[in-house]
Amino acid sequence: MTSKIEKEDLSRRNFVFGSIAAAGLTVAPGVMLYQTANARDLSKPVSSKVRWGMLIDTTKDVDWNKCVEACVKEHGLGNEEHSRADQRTQYIRVVDVKNKTTGYSMSLPVMCQHCEKPPCVDVCPTGASMKREDGIVLVDRHRCIGCRYCMMACPYKARSFVHETLTDQKTTTPRGKGCVESCNMCVNRVDNGQLPACVEVSEGAIVFGDLNDPESDISRLLAKHGGKQIRADLKLNPGVQYQGI
Amino acid sequence: MWLQLNINFSFSSLLKGSLQKLPLSVAGLALMASFTTVNAEVEQDELGPRIEIPESSGKSCVLPEDEIRRKHPDMLKHDRILTLREGVRAKADGNNLDGSLKQCINCHAIKDDNDQYVRIDNDKHFCVSCHKYAAVTIDCFQCHRDIPEGSSNFHALSGHKNTDFSSVTPGSYGLTVKDMANIAPEVSSDDK
C-alpha cells in the first residue's frame, strides 16, 4: 500500500486507492477539448448505440474543487442541515493520494464511474439502481427504499444517502430523504445537449463524449493516449477513465 | 325516526282531512312539504366540508378538466417511468410530456397575499387543496420541487401529516361532496 488518503473526514471512503499506485508520471499531452453532446430527439428513448463516458486528465493543473462546486450548484446539493460532514451527499469528491516512497502526490476527482456492469444495479432489490441504455448509471428514487445495499456494493464508494428532510430542491434534480443518490452524469444536461457541469468548468481536463463513437473526441484521445480505469481488475468497465494515475 | 314520525303524522292528517271533507290536494301538498323540509336540512349541514378550487389561469390544461382530474395520477406515473428510465423528455411535437410534474407546478403554482408562492405545507397549494380534502397523502414533494424554479421561499415539511384538520368546518369550503361527485361522475377503473 503506497498511497494514503489525506482527508480525515472522508475516512469511510478510504478504499480502493491502494491500487492507484501513484507510480510513474505518465503525462499525456493535454489537448484542450470541449465536446458538445449532440442533442438527440427527446421524444425517443435513449439508445445503447451511445455510451457516455468521461476521460479525466489528472496531470492538468486544475483545481478539482471547482468541479465539485459546479456539481453542488447544478444539483442543489449541500442543503442538509443536520447531517455530519461525512454523511452529506457528495456526487464528486477530490481524493489526494501520495506515494510515500517517492513523496509524489496528486489529486483526482472521483464520482460514480458509470460501470458497464454496475454492481449497484446487480444488488438492488427493487430495481431502483439502474443503468440507462446510454450507459448512465442512476437511481430511480420512485423505487428506492433506502436499503443502502448499493452503497455497500459500489467499489468506488460513489453513493450517498440522504438522512434528512430536504427543502428547495432543484427542479432538474429531485432528491429527498431516505433515498440513495450519486453522480448521474448530469443526465438532465446531457439530454439537452449540454456538457455535465463538472466538465464545463474543468478547463478541458475532463473530456465528455460517446465511447461507442470512434470519431468522438474522447474515443480519439483514448485511442491515442490510452486511459486507466480505477480498479480495472474488477472488470466492471467503468465509463469514467483517467490519465495520469 | 323523525322522518318516519313525520310521515305518520302526514298520513293521519290526510285521514283527518278527508274526514273533514277537505280537498285531497291540500293534504298531498302537506305531505310533500314535510319531505322537502327533511331534504333541505340534510343538504345544508350533513354533506361535509367544501373545498376551494383555485381559479383557472385561463390557459387550457393538457386534458379537459374532468379527464385530468381522473387521470392525472396515472399520467404522472407513466411519464416518470418514460423520462427517468428511458430518457423520453418530450412529446413528438417537442412540447413537455403531459405528465410532467414540473409543468404542472409551473402552471398551477399559487401565490399568497405577499406575492410568494405557497409551499406544500400550505392548504392553498394547488395539489394540497384537493388531496387534503380527499385524504390522499402525496409523496411527490419529498423529492420534487413544489414551486416553480427561481423562487426560493422554503417549505417546512411535505405531506399532510402536520395539516390541521380541526380547522375544516362544515360549510366553510366552496365545494360539497355532491359537487365532488359531479366532478367525477364515472367511477370506472382506468386499469385495463
Side-chain angles (χ1 to χ4, degrees):
Chain A
M1 194 68 78
T2 53
S3 62
K4 85 170 178 122
I5 312 283
E6 290 183 341
K7 286 198 173 160
E8 290 289 325
D9 62 337
L10 297 178
S11 57
R12 103 177 149 81
R13 292 173 165 162
N14 291 356
F15 63 117
V16 292
F17 290 97
S19 63
I20 314 175
L25 262 172
T26 50
V27 182
V31 188
M32 188 72 139
L33 274 177
Y34 283 98
Q35 186 193 4
T36 312
N38 294 321
R40 60 180 180 86
D41 181 357
L42 292 178
S43 65
K44 300 252 162 54
V46 288
S47 137
S48 56
K49 284 179 190 149
V50 176
R51 187 183 176 209
W52 297 121
M54 290 202 270
L55 179 61
I56 301 173
D57 188 348
T58 60
T59 60
K60 288 255 174 72
D61 187 19
V62 175
D63 182 5
W64 299 117
N65 288 316
K66 275 205 310 200
C67 298
V68 178
E69 280 164 27
C71 176
V72 165
K73 198 174 164 216
E74 170 65 28
H75 298 289
L77 307 181
N79 51 354
E80 296 95 335
E81 288 173 11
H82 308 292
S83 303
R84 295 194 309 268
D86 62 337
Q87 289 175 323
R88 287 196 195 110
T89 289
Q90 290 175 304
Y91 284 6
I92 312 175
R93 71 209 130 91
V94 181
V95 178
D96 299 325
V97 286
K98 187 176 182 186
N99 185 326
K100 276 182 188 166
T101 52
T102 61
Y104 173 76
S105 69
M106 61 177 291
S107 60
L108 66 161
V110 179
M111 66 286 275
C112 170
Q113 304 285 298
H114 298 279
C115 306
E116 188 192 353
K117 296 165 189 159
C120 55
V121 175
D122 285 347
V123 301
C124 182
T126 63
S129 192
M130 55 168 280
K131 190 180 76 163
R132 250 175 40 150
E133 286 293 304
D134 57 2
I136 296 179
V137 176
L138 70 166
V139 179
D140 181 351
R141 290 175 181 80
H142 303 120
R143 301 189 186 186
C144 179
I145 55 170
C147 73
R148 289 168 263 186
Y149 203 167
C150 55
M151 290 173 70
M152 308 276 176
C154 176
Y156 306 101
K157 294 264 194 297
R159 291 216 159 155
S160 306
F161 180 75
V162 180
H163 291 261
E164 58 179 280
T165 306
L166 298 182
T167 55
D168 242 17
Q169 294 93 332
K170 288 278 199 180
T171 302
T172 44
T173 311
R175 48 191 294 268
K177 182 180 179 180
C179 287
V180 173
E181 57 182 356
S182 64
C183 159
N184 58 11
M185 227 186 243
C186 288
V187 67
N188 53 306
R189 293 171 64 94
V190 170
D191 278 351
N192 289 327
Q194 294 170 286
L195 293 169
C198 59
V199 177
E200 209 167 69
V201 300
S202 69
E203 298 163 27
I206 307 179
V207 178
F208 172 84
D210 179 7
L211 295 169
N212 283 351
D213 175 10
E215 298 303 306
S216 68
D217 292 337
I218 187 170
S219 297
R220 282 185 192 165
L221 276 174
L222 281 168
K224 198 170 177 192
H225 306 298
K228 263 190 187 170
Q229 299 168 331
I230 303 176
R231 286 301 303 268
D233 58 313
L234 294 173
K235 298 192 168 56
L236 303 173
N237 190 15
V240 178
Q241 303 203 21
Y242 293 82
Q243 288 175 333
I245 61 171
Chain B
M1 182 57 82
W2 185 78
L3 181 66
Q4 192 65 42
L5 284 173
N6 208 359
I7 292 168
N8 288 344
F9 173 75
S10 301
F11 272 116
S12 62
S13 68
L14 175 71
L15 194 64
K16 210 168 147 192
S18 60
L19 279 172
Q20 290 176 355
K21 302 203 188 301
L22 279 173
L24 262 180
S25 56
V26 175
L29 275 176
L31 182 65
M32 279 167 69
S34 67
F35 274 116
T36 45
T37 321
V38 171
N39 284 344
E41 275 177 31
V42 169
E43 197 159 5
Q44 235 170 16
D45 294 334
E46 306 298 325
L47 285 179
R50 299 163 75 88
I51 59 173
E52 247 170 60
I53 297 204
E55 276 178 38
S56 153
S57 65
K59 281 185 284 180
S60 60
C61 203
V62 290
L63 283 181
E65 215 171 72
D66 52 342
E67 279 185 63
I68 195 82
R69 280 185 178 150
R70 185 143 283 283
K71 290 184 182 165
H72 71 274
D74 292 331
M75 289 164 66
L76 287 168
K77 204 166 180 179
H78 178 261
D79 288 351
R80 85 185 187 189
I81 293 169
L82 268 184
T83 299
L84 201 157
R85 302 190 79 91
E86 295 175 22
V88 179
R89 287 179 182 268
K91 291 193 288 196
D93 59 8
N95 287 329
N96 276 308
L97 290 171
D98 286 346
S100 162
L101 187 61
K102 180 172 105 182
Q103 201 50 51
C104 298
I105 292 297
N106 284 348
C107 279
H108 288 293
I110 307 285
K111 284 188 172 172
D112 63 10
D113 300 338
N114 303 324
D115 210 31
Q116 298 284 316
Y117 286 113
V118 295
R119 312 289 315 223
I120 195 70
D121 54 343
N122 189 316
D123 291 351
K124 282 186 179 158
H125 188 277
F126 184 79
C127 304
V128 175
S129 59
C130 267
H131 280 130
K132 182 185 148 191
Y133 182 86
V136 177
T137 306
I138 40 173
D139 295 336
C140 311
F141 301 104
Q142 288 177 9
C143 287
H144 284 278
R145 192 178 176 83
D146 53 350
I147 54 173
E149 189 98 271
S151 44
S152 63
N153 33 350
F154 274 69
H155 73 76
L157 290 173
S158 54
H160 312 289
K161 278 175 188 157
N162 301 319
T163 307
D164 181 13
F165 286 95
S166 62
S167 66
V168 181
T169 47
S172 68
Y173 289 76
L175 198 75
T176 61
V177 174
K178 226 174 187 181
D179 296 334
M180 283 301 275
N182 291 332
I183 285 164
E186 298 165 59
V187 194
S188 60
S189 171
D190 290 319
D191 301 333
K192 277 166 193 161

